[in-house]
Amino acid sequence: MLLPAKAEVARQLRRYRAWERVMLAAPNDRTVRATFEDSGYTLCVLMGKRCAREAADAAERYLRVHQVAPAQELSERPRPVAAVGRGPQAVECRTPAAERRSPAGR
């Protein structure tokens, strides 16, 4: 089973909690509510849950169980440039294709 990166889970959980506080302070602001719902959806997808509150709880449990020292987190970052390609025309690739962000990603 693939598990999400702990640093990404922590980042998305912080984002969700921050927008939750802003949304509770201004519940009638449609932009704030939409951004809060987007952050909840992202957390749901990341944690494989249908409800944002369940996803937040799951993220907190995941981070408690899988605590990592900051030095270990740094070693999990993408590797330096490696030559990838066929024959003499090698292409530089900084991160694996699965880790690249699309322009639509935030």
Side-chain angles (χ1 to χ4, degrees), residues 22-43:
V22 174
M23 199 275 306
L24 289 171
N28 294 327
D29 187 334
R30 290 182 184 202
T31 304
V32 169
R33 182 173 288 276
T35 306
F36 169 66
E37 289 174 358
D38 286 347
S39 68
Y41 176 78
T42 301
L43 200 56

Side-chain angles (χ1 to χ4, degrees), residues 6-68:
K6 290 167 267 328
E8 186 64 19
V9 171
R11 187 174 77 82
Q12 291 299 332
L13 181 60
R14 281 191 309 270
R15 181 174 183 258
Y16 173 78
R17 292 296 186 204
W19 280 108
E20 181 179 42
R21 286 188 298 275
V22 174
M23 199 275 306
L24 289 171
N28 294 327
D29 187 334
R30 290 182 184 202
T31 304
V32 169
R33 182 173 288 276
T35 306
F36 169 66
E37 289 174 358
D38 286 347
S39 68
Y41 176 78
T42 301
L43 200 56
C44 286
V45 171
L46 191 62
M47 299 309 298
K49 300 291 182 184
R50 289 180 175 231
C51 169
R53 188 143 327 263
E54 288 177 10
D57 291 342
E60 288 171 350
R61 281 192 308 274
Y62 177 71
L63 293 172
R64 263 195 311 269
V65 171
H66 297 93
Q67 287 183 343
V68 177

Side-chain angles (χ1 to χ4, degrees), residues 82-92:
V84 177
R86 297 184 192 133
Q89 298 175 355
V91 177
E92 287 189 357

